[in-house]
Amino acid sequence: MTECAVILAGGQANRMGGGDKGRLMLGDRSLIHRVIDRITPQVDAVVLNANGDPDRFDDLGLPVVADSVADFPGPLAGVLAGMDWAAEQGYDWLISVAADTPSFPRDLAQRLAEFDTPVVLAATPDPERGRLPQPTFGRWQVALRHDLRAALNDGVRKIRQWTQAQGESLVVFGPDDFFNINTPEDLAWAEEHLK
């Protein structure tokens, strides 16, 4: 393995009433612990992207990096924070995963690495469009971080607006591989279906 991963936990969790969504319990484990357990065997190192006081994540044993772009500009800022950390550590590739998606594929990094484009995003099948991108799950060439920083500073917020300009590839996974927990109803569904 020659890549690291960033867990994107920098959002405001407005639909869940705020706070750290990754700390929600699913069964006997928090979402973030489930995500850490899934991504750690797939990469060489893991970093957490979160804003606010990083000490609240001391129990995870991970380095924590905040967005370097102000005003919560979204997941692209978390990817950039991960890219900057990856560059400092000497990695060429970064895998991104979301802290609110506890059952993503255990072969995510391997499957994304099968494509030789600067950005590779996960997708799920979609009956109407063929493929539905899951843009917080991707493989990013760390050398693109300067271009991403410039795009964010120019106001780009939509992941696909930027990734399509980089010549993205999409890898299709199963239809339920990226179920994310955004609402209390999602958490209740996950309690029933994700064990």
Side-chain angles (χ1 to χ4, degrees), residues 9 27 42 49 76-77 86 90-91 107 117 125 149-150 166 174-175 178:
Q42 299 186 48
N49 163 245
L76 273 177
Y91 290 102
D107 63 349
T117 54
R149 188 179 335 278
Q166 307 307 315
F178 299 96

Side-chain angles (χ1 to χ4, degrees), residues 96-132:
S96 63
V97 298
D100 63 358
T101 308
S103 61
F104 62 86
R106 294 184 189 278
D107 63 349
L108 175 74
Q110 175 187 345
R111 300 242 344 253
L112 295 177
E114 292 173 1
F115 285 77
D116 192 28
T117 54
V119 177
V120 184
L121 299 180
T124 52
D126 182 89
E128 294 177 15
R129 294 180 275 183
R131 301 177 296 186
L132 179 63

